[in-house]
Amino acid sequence: TGSGSTSSESVDKAFRFTGSEMNAFVPSTGALLSRGSRTGAAVQPAFRAAAPRSARRSALRMAAGGISPVTDSVYAEYIWLGGLAAETINGNPICTDPNDIRSKTKILPSKPAAVSDLPKWNYDGSSTGQAPGEDSEVILHPVAMYPDPFRGGDHILVLCESFTPQGEPLPSNTRAKARALFDQKTELEPWFGIEQEYTMLDSDRWPLGWPKEGYPGPQGPYYCGAGSQKIVGRDLAEAHANACLHAGLKISGVNAEVMKAQWEYQIGPCVGIESGDEIWVSRYLMQRLEEEFDVICSFDPKPIEGDWNGAGCHTNYSTAPMRKEGGYEVIKEAIEKMGEKHMEHVAVYGAGNERRLTGLHETAPITQFSWGVADRGCSIRVGRSVEAEGKGYFEDRRPASNIDPYVVTSKIFETTCL
């Protein structure tokens, strides 16, 4: 390579960090980066996270990612759902792969002030199962933007809907249909709070922290537990929560779940279409963190057969009339409507959900509808406080962890309000 350092020497030098330099990237001692910009102004640091196993790789990528910008340009990470995120099966939209979230980077000359300032873009739909090779162009329409927790600064994440060049939403664009339903009665202000459960797996797709080809002790001590014998993956769960906060998502809680290596985070309350937007973006953030921690986060509704809890996406719901005095009667009327369309709802409540809704492990049988106060073995649960106050919300416990949140939230709204 001529005089001076060889390529391998340059790479090796790039990976040598002093303790203080590593502290800039390992946020157990502070923000990931807090360098100044070319003008000397402070740059917003990226979110805090525990040190992943790939900290050096992450550090180099983030250092090159524009956290210390030398121009006014910003990275805009355009995010959309692939063809497996919403397939049509037996006439119903079903999410067969909640990890089919795609993205690519567009560099903009400056930070946009609003979503309306973002340009449309396109991608090769034949590579995502959404268009034929001879007519493969799919158009991305930006619908929401968020601060980018990985790049920091003015860089953004851009959530998009997918359309044909003729302006028709793709069959997998379930957001368009949900938006149309919510727009019919915006005055009802439907609130959703979704509890997203997931299971951390190692590279062999076995639960993190479980004995290889074996099982931990029975369920009981793991739910909301503490200590190395009970809990694994807390660093990733909290890194994800921090990423969600940095991105401006309405994350409202995190907890370890009943099965060891299973976790949950809650998004909401969100109004209407915003709920689906934030669940999909939160899943995208989780996938990005998988790259850093070398951990698989599975949304399978029953990742381990046997006497182990499955994973759900319990959906808490209320409308403006439910939240007012006398709202409990409105809640009961809505639940009655839900019961009348039980199997319609189950049909779109997640692929493989029959493995989870067995009547065991805090579920009701998939073929039977029931509701009760404080009963986690029912299809729909009403909280004690709601009964006492005579107003509030109810929890639909049937949705699986792999749902399409656009489909589920709009289905609940359609059944109860339209």
Side-chain angles (χ1 to χ4, degrees), residues 114-136:
V115 174
S116 57
D117 296 330
L118 288 161
K120 295 177 183 178
W121 207 7
N122 64 76
Y123 66 91
D124 172 16
S126 68
S127 295
T128 62
Q130 294 170 295
E134 64 272 14
D135 187 14
S136 63

Side-chain angles (χ1 to χ4, degrees), residues 212-236:
K212 286 295 182 183
E213 301 181 0
Y215 300 88
Q219 297 182 151
Y222 311 120
Y223 173 70
C224 297
S228 61
Q229 298 302 305
K230 303 173 186 175
I231 298 300
V232 294
R234 190 185 298 276
D235 52 353
L236 173 52

Side-chain angles (χ1 to χ4, degrees), residues 56-66 150-151 288 291-292:
R56 290 183 176 182
R57 179 188 68 195
S58 175
L60 286 181
R61 181 174 55 76
M62 294 181 77
F150 300 102
R151 291 173 172 138
R288 289 287 301 274
E291 301 170 15
E292 304 300 330

Side-chain angles (χ1 to χ4, degrees), residues 86-167:
E87 289 192 287
T88 300
I89 300 176
N90 297 326
N92 295 309
I94 292 290
C95 177
T96 57
D97 184 1
N99 291 309
D100 193 8
I101 309 172
R102 312 297 179 110
S103 76
K104 62 177 182 174
T105 306
K106 191 173 190 66
I107 299 176
L108 303 175
S110 61
K111 181 182 178 180
V115 174
S116 57
D117 296 330
L118 288 161
K120 295 177 183 178
W121 207 7
N122 64 76
Y123 66 91
D124 172 16
S126 68
S127 295
T128 62
Q130 294 170 295
E134 64 272 14
D135 187 14
S136 63
E137 190 168 291
V138 177
I139 311 302
L140 291 171
H141 291 209
V143 295
M145 68 178 182
Y146 310 87
D148 186 335
F150 300 102
R151 291 173 172 138
D154 287 337
H155 309 298
I156 55 175
L157 306 176
V158 180
L159 182 65
C160 301
E161 287 188 30
S162 297
F163 288 80
T164 67
Q166 293 72 38

Side-chain angles (χ1 to χ4, degrees), residues 10 34 36-37 43 49 52 60 120 134 163 170 184 191 202 226 235 265 269 279 291 335 343 362 375 390 396:
S10 299
S34 56
S37 69
V43 176
L60 286 181
K120 295 177 183 178
E134 64 272 14
F163 288 80
L170 294 191
Q184 291 184 39
W191 288 5
D202 61 23
D235 52 353
Y265 62 91
I279 284 291
E291 301 170 15
I335 292 174
M343 294 311 297
E362 301 180 287
D375 187 347
D396 191 342

Side-chain angles (χ1 to χ4, degrees), residues 26-358:
V26 180
S28 55
T29 58
L32 285 175
L33 281 179
S34 56
R35 297 178 181 176
S37 69
R38 176 183 55 172
T39 61
V43 176
Q44 184 181 21
F47 70 98
R48 293 170 180 262
R53 281 175 276 179
S54 55
R56 290 183 176 182
R57 179 188 68 195
S58 175
L60 286 181
R61 181 174 55 76
M62 294 181 77
I67 295 178
S68 293
V70 294
T71 73
D72 292 329
S73 298
V74 298
Y75 288 99
E77 194 70 20
Y78 277 53
I79 303 167
W80 70 94
L81 305 182
L84 297 179
E87 289 192 287
T88 300
I89 300 176
N90 297 326
N92 295 309
I94 292 290
C95 177
T96 57
D97 184 1
N99 291 309
D100 193 8
I101 309 172
R102 312 297 179 110
S103 76
K104 62 177 182 174
T105 306
K106 191 173 190 66
I107 299 176
L108 303 175
S110 61
K111 181 182 178 180
V115 174
S116 57
D117 296 330
L118 288 161
K120 295 177 183 178
W121 207 7
N122 64 76
Y123 66 91
D124 172 16
S126 68
S127 295
T128 62
Q130 294 170 295
E134 64 272 14
D135 187 14
S136 63
E137 190 168 291
V138 177
I139 311 302
L140 291 171
H141 291 209
V143 295
M145 68 178 182
Y146 310 87
D148 186 335
F150 300 102
R151 291 173 172 138
D154 287 337
H155 309 298
I156 55 175
L157 306 176
V158 180
L159 182 65
C160 301
E161 287 188 30
S162 297
F163 288 80
T164 67
Q166 293 72 38
E168 295 295 321
L170 294 191
S172 58
N173 182 357
T174 54
R175 187 185 191 276
K177 182 179 179 181
R179 175 166 41 84
L181 289 171
F182 286 126
D183 284 349
Q184 291 184 39
K185 289 190 176 181
T186 56
E187 70 277 7
L188 293 180
E189 294 184 339
W191 288 5
F192 296 94
I194 295 183
E195 306 168 24
Q196 176 69 72
E197 294 180 338
Y198 62 98
T199 307
M200 296 184 189
L201 309 177
D202 61 23
S203 57
D204 295 326
R205 303 197 70 84
W206 194 241
L208 200 65
W210 285 33
K212 286 295 182 183
E213 301 181 0
Y215 300 88
Q219 297 182 151
Y222 311 120
Y223 173 70
C224 297
S228 61
Q229 298 302 305
K230 303 173 186 175
I231 298 300
V232 294
R234 190 185 298 276
D235 52 353
L236 173 52
E238 293 194 354
H240 177 258
N242 289 337
C244 289
L245 286 171
H246 184 94
L249 303 186
K250 294 179 180 177
I251 185 167
S252 51
V254 178
N255 62 271
E257 266 300 333
V258 177
M259 187 179 82
K260 188 174 185 179
Q262 190 181 74
W263 285 81
E264 172 186 300
Y265 62 91
Q266 301 94 37
I267 295 289
C270 298
V271 179
I273 201 69
E274 178 187 48
S275 181
D277 289 349
E278 296 209 4
I279 284 291
W280 278 117
V281 173
S282 73
R283 287 174 175 176
Y284 172 78
L285 297 178
M286 183 67 77
Q287 285 186 266
R288 289 287 301 274
L289 285 167
E290 286 183 14
E291 301 170 15
E292 304 300 330
F293 285 80
D294 296 328
V295 171
I296 299 168
C297 293
S298 169
F299 297 110
D300 190 307
K302 188 71 174 179
I304 302 295
E305 296 299 325
D307 194 16
W308 304 98
N309 271 38
C313 230
H314 301 157
T315 302
N316 300 275
Y317 168 68
S318 75
T319 61
M322 295 179 192
R323 298 188 291 270
K324 295 177 180 178
E325 295 301 323
Y328 193 25
E329 293 304 313
V330 182
I331 289 172
K332 288 190 285 187
E333 290 172 7
I335 292 174
E336 184 177 347
K337 292 177 182 178
M338 297 276 280
E340 292 170 356
K341 295 190 175 183
H342 172 64
M343 294 311 297
E344 281 187 31
H345 281 253
V346 167
V348 297
Y349 274 15
N353 205 16
E354 70 281 353
R355 295 183 286 120
R356 169 180 163 263
L357 296 182
T358 62

